[in-house]
């Protein structure tokens, strides 16, 4: 395998074996004994948030999909390091992956979900330019996102079926416009955040079409989708995952809903048992199927 370390011009021999520090945002590389590689803070744009970690196991088929991981944090918080355990799990199972930061929502800086989708596009373009060197195919991605990152993964994936082969959504918001959402208690406390995410005033009785454009359930395309949803999620209503499940079912699109009882938001953080016995096995099966 050629691998990026052997071809990419920014790497130099002196970096090999450099001690890693996950809190340090400097570019760095780790190379294992079997030529497996972990490339940290590779720039895909000029903004300080536009960096990604690329993990390349020692061997994989050329047609292996690359899992692009999108962190959560209500669109305005979070960082890629919060998803490092998933990336390590994929690496252990010989699955190449990208774990990306993206620009965070800011009214003053005029950053909405649209700029965040553009960051996903830029990260894909960047890795596409390196795919041949890593002996991988371009535009062969599985998007995996958690919470707000799940929303972005769903929306980008459904809008770009030429690049995205599958989607994995963990505890993601999916609907910002339906009558059911507008009537729900969930909309009462989530709408101020959604208003900032969309960049439009949330007027319940005269809702802008921009909220429809921002809703994954209104943008579904034929992309196989794995959904994780907890029945006691107080941050993202369980109806959000169930609504997407129903919408996919009505369109006969391949999907799977993993509905977890006695489970809150982002359960992999709080339950090792569920993470290891339910979440990770289902992720691996979805990727490898």
């Amino acid at each position: 395998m050629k691998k990026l370390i052997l071809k990419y011009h920014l790497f130099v021999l002196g970096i090999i074996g450099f001690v890693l520090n996950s809190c340090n945002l400097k570019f760095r590389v780790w190379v294992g004994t079997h030529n497996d590689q972990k490339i940290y803070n590779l720039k895909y744009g000029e903004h300080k948030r536009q960096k990604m970690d690329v993990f390349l196991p020692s061997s994989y088929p050329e047609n292996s999909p690359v899992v692009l991981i999108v962190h959560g944090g209500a669109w305005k918080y979070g960082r890629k390091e919060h998803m490092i355990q998933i990336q390590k799990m994929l690496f252990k199972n010989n699955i190449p992956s990208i774990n990306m930061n993206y620009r965070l929502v800011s009214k003053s800086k005029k950053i909405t979900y649209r700029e965040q989708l553009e960051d996903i596009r830029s990260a894909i373009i960047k890795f596409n330019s390196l795919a041949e060197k890593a002996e991988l195919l371009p535009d062969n991605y599985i998007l995996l996102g958690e919470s707000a990152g799940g929303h972005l993964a769903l929306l980008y994936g459904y809008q770009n079926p030429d690049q995205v082969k599958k989607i994995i959504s963990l505890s993601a918001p999916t609907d910002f416009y339906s009558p059911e959402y507008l009537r729900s208690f969930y909309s009462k406390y989530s709408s101020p955040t959604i208003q900032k995410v969309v960049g439009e005033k949330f007027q319940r009785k005269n809702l802008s079409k921009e909220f429809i454009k921002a809703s994954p359930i209104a943008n579904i395309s034929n992309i196989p989708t794995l959904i994780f949803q907890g029945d006691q999620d107080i941050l993202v209503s369980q109806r959000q995952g169930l609504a997407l499940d129903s919408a996919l079912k009505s369109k006969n699109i391949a999907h799977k809903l993993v509905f977890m009882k006695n489970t809150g938001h982002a359960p992999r953080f709080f339950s090792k048992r569920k993470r290891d016995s339910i979440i990770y096995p289902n992720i691996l099966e979805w990727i490898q199927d």
Side-chain angles (χ1 to χ4, degrees), residues 11-30:
F11 294 93
V12 293
L13 187 59
I15 295 178
I16 297 176
F18 198 86
V19 178
L20 298 177
N21 178 350
S22 63
C23 295
N24 193 318
L25 296 179
K26 292 181 179 178
F27 174 83
R28 68 191 72 216
V29 178
W30 171 88

Side-chain angles (χ1 to χ4, degrees), residues 98-162:
I98 299 167
N99 187 10
M100 65 177 290
N101 275 342
Y102 51 87
R103 288 171 291 173
L104 302 176
V105 161
S106 169
K107 184 176 181 180
S108 62
K109 297 177 181 177
K110 297 183 179 179
I111 297 174
T112 69
Y113 81 97
R114 299 173 192 85
E115 283 68 38
Q116 295 175 331
L117 294 181
E118 282 303 311
D119 283 353
I120 294 177
R121 184 179 304 279
S122 295
I124 286 176
I125 290 171
K126 178 65 175 181
F127 192 80
N128 277 350
S129 72
L130 304 172
E132 183 179 359
K133 298 169 185 176
E135 296 187 345
L136 287 163
L137 300 175
D139 291 332
N140 187 26
Y141 296 93
I142 293 175
L143 297 193
L144 185 158
E146 186 167 66
S147 193
H151 162 262
L152 296 172
L154 288 166
L155 202 53
Y156 188 91
Y158 290 150
Q159 293 176 352
N160 296 275
D162 55 327

Side-chain angles (χ1 to χ4, degrees), residues 2 48 59 66 81 99-100 112-113 123 174 177 182 210 220 236 240 249 256 286 289:
K2 298 175 184 176
K48 64 182 180 179
S59 62
V66 177
E81 285 75 16
N99 187 10
M100 65 177 290
T112 69
Y113 81 97
T174 66
Y177 76 96
L182 296 176
E210 294 302 316
I220 289 173
V236 175
Q240 294 283 295
K249 190 177 297 182
K256 180 179 181 180
W286 195 252
D289 184 21

Side-chain angles (χ1 to χ4, degrees), residues 26 45 63-64 90 98 164 178 186 262 268 273 286:
K26 292 181 179 178
N63 64 353
S64 177
L90 296 173
I98 299 167
V164 179
S178 73
Y186 173 61
N262 303 314
R268 70 182 185 86
R273 180 183 62 81
W286 195 252

